[in-house]
Amino acid sequence: MTESDNATAPSSLYDSPIARELADLTSRRRALEAVRLQFHGGTRVLTVSNQKGGVGKTTTTVNLAAALASVGARVLVIDLDPQGNASTALGVPHTADIPSVYDVLIDEFPLADIVQTSPESPNLLCAPSTIHLAGAEIELVSQVAREHRLRTALDDYLATVDERPDFVLIDCPPSLGLLTINAFTAASELLIPIQCEYYALEGLSQLLGSIRMIQKHLNPSLHLSTILLTMYDGRTRLAQQVADEVRTHFPNEVLQTVIPRSVRVSEAPSFGQTVIAYDGNSVGAVSYREAAVEIVRREQQKAQNEGTS
Ligand code: ADP
Ligand code: MG
């Protein structure tokens, strides 16, 4: 559209909320295209947890992973949920006959033997879950070092693999059982997705209490690094109130970027894709890419500040 088109068209057309949103999305996309990031060889291990179901853990894990891969990071997703939704969304086969995280946790398979590459990107890897993992919660109870099994497997993997990932993202089931505890023991960062709805904060203190127990007994380096507000509907006052409340409680952890509720985000998994591959220019994809950039930059900023202070 040229300036003169703009001048002759009724101004209301260009002043509508939808037109403003589109213009805004275009400028956000341009800003993302200009982003250049560098990765420095260390591996950040984040567990995506919230004991509530349906808050966007899996959606956040796979889309952040794909968004990070799209800006040049090498990313491994570990699917710890027996439902295997993360494996599905990454287009990775995970039928019962496929070696999976179950074999790693119970039969001590090397992680390298089960990791697959997502068809979406050579930089996007997935350790799939299969239905067998549903039994692992019980089977782990009688195992030696039952809380450390994922940690040990991941440490071995990172020490021996040719190309170390820059990020490992672990998708947790909606419970605080042994699978989730294995994730807490293996990670150093906790990422909590929070759905901007009523009751959003309910259960959070229980989760943070569990984290304190893990810090004390199993993994002193685990810390809450990131909170991501998801399924945000800016038209409702409730979503804004929840977002404000979470920001008041966790000013340093909540990302500026908010993931809006978006049909494209919810459609993508049924095509075995992340929203980054399914519709990379949609508002959901752009938001996850912005969140990925923020997660990388915040940590680099923190490291710089620590270096200069
Ligand atoms: P969890 O892993 O915490 O159980 P999911 O990631 O599976 O949650 O999300 C629950 C449901 O919400 C899924 O159907 C998913 O497609 C949908 N969903 C998640 N994030 C969004 C979003 N930003 N917009 C629309 N739907 C979403
Ligand atoms: Mg899930």
Side-chain angles (χ1 to χ4, degrees):
M1 192 190 309
T2 63
E3 288 280 7
S4 58
D5 288 337
N6 230 333
T8 51
S11 63
S12 59
L13 199 63
Y14 298 103
D15 212 24
S16 67
I18 289 190
R20 273 200 300 273
E21 255 172 51
L22 282 176
D24 180 43
L25 191 59
T26 306
S27 67
R28 286 166 63 190
R29 271 202 310 254
R30 290 222 180 93
L32 279 169
E33 277 157 22
V35 167
R36 298 285 173 276
L37 295 173
Q38 289 200 327
F39 300 96
H40 301 294
T43 302
R44 287 173 66 183
V45 184
L46 289 89
T47 178
V48 181
S49 313
N50 189 327
Q51 76 275 34
K52 285 187 169 192
V55 296
K57 288 184 291 297
T58 302
T59 306
T60 292
T61 306
V62 299
N63 291 316
L64 257 189
L68 285 163
S70 79
V71 292
R74 191 169 172 79
V75 188
L76 168 64
V77 170
I78 299 179
D79 188 353
L80 266 196
D81 189 335
Q83 294 188 50
N85 295 338
S87 312
T88 303
L90 293 170
V92 163
H94 60 105
T95 44
D97 54 322
I98 287 191
S100 73
V101 175
Y102 173 88
D103 302 283
V104 172
L105 293 177
I106 305 295
D107 293 326
E108 298 182 24
F109 275 36
L111 196 51
D113 288 5
I114 69 142
V115 167
Q116 301 184 44
T117 305
S118 165
E120 252 177 67
S121 159
N123 268 343
L124 188 52
L125 311 171
C126 175
S129 143
T130 56
I131 190 66
H132 299 303
L133 203 54
E137 197 84 68
I138 308 286
E139 286 177 61
L140 275 171
V141 172
S142 58
Q143 299 260 348
V144 178
R146 59 189 183 182
E147 297 97 351
H148 291 92
R149 298 204 138 222
L150 183 63
R151 165 111 211 192
T152 306
L154 184 57
D155 285 349
D156 286 349
Y157 177 80
L158 295 176
T160 52
V161 75
D162 282 341
E163 281 183 281
R164 273 174 71 122
D166 303 293
F167 283 88
V168 176
L169 301 185
I170 308 174
D171 186 30
C172 285
S175 62
L176 293 172
L178 271 172
L179 287 170
T180 298
I181 289 175
N182 264 271
F184 287 160
T185 308
S188 57
E189 297 182 46
L190 171 66
L191 187 165
I192 306 181
I194 292 185
Q195 186 180 357
C196 296
E197 295 203 339
Y198 206 54
Y199 300 131
L201 291 175
E202 203 185 61
L204 206 56
S205 56
Q206 192 196 351
L207 177 58
L208 296 176
S210 304
I211 296 304
R212 277 191 290 277
M213 295 291 281
I214 300 283
Q215 285 167 333
K216 194 164 164 198
H217 299 289
L218 292 167
N219 180 10
S221 64
L222 182 67
H223 63 285
L224 170 61
S225 70
T226 311
I227 293 177
L228 179 60
L229 300 170
T230 64
M231 294 186 241
Y232 183 81
D233 183 349
R235 292 167 304 183
T236 70
R237 187 187 292 249
L238 178 64
Q240 290 169 17
Q241 281 171 350
V242 170
D244 288 347
E245 198 179 342
V246 178
R247 286 190 194 282
T248 305
H249 282 286
F250 302 98
N252 300 320
E253 290 80 10
V254 184
L255 295 183
Q256 284 303 316
T257 309
V258 166
I259 309 299
R261 193 173 272 288
S262 137
V263 176
R264 299 310 241 180
V265 169
S266 59
E267 282 172 353
S270 56
F271 296 90
Q273 289 185 319
T274 69
V275 75
I276 310 298
Y278 178 61
D279 188 353
N281 287 326
S282 63
V283 64
V286 167
S287 303
Y288 271 113
R289 284 158 63 198
E290 289 171 341
V293 170
E294 215 187 324
I295 285 173
V296 174
R297 286 207 168 136
R298 277 200 330 175
E299 198 62 21
Q300 291 179 346
Q301 197 67 49
K302 216 187 281 173
Q304 255 173 20
N305 292 346
E306 278 161 16
T308 51
S309 65

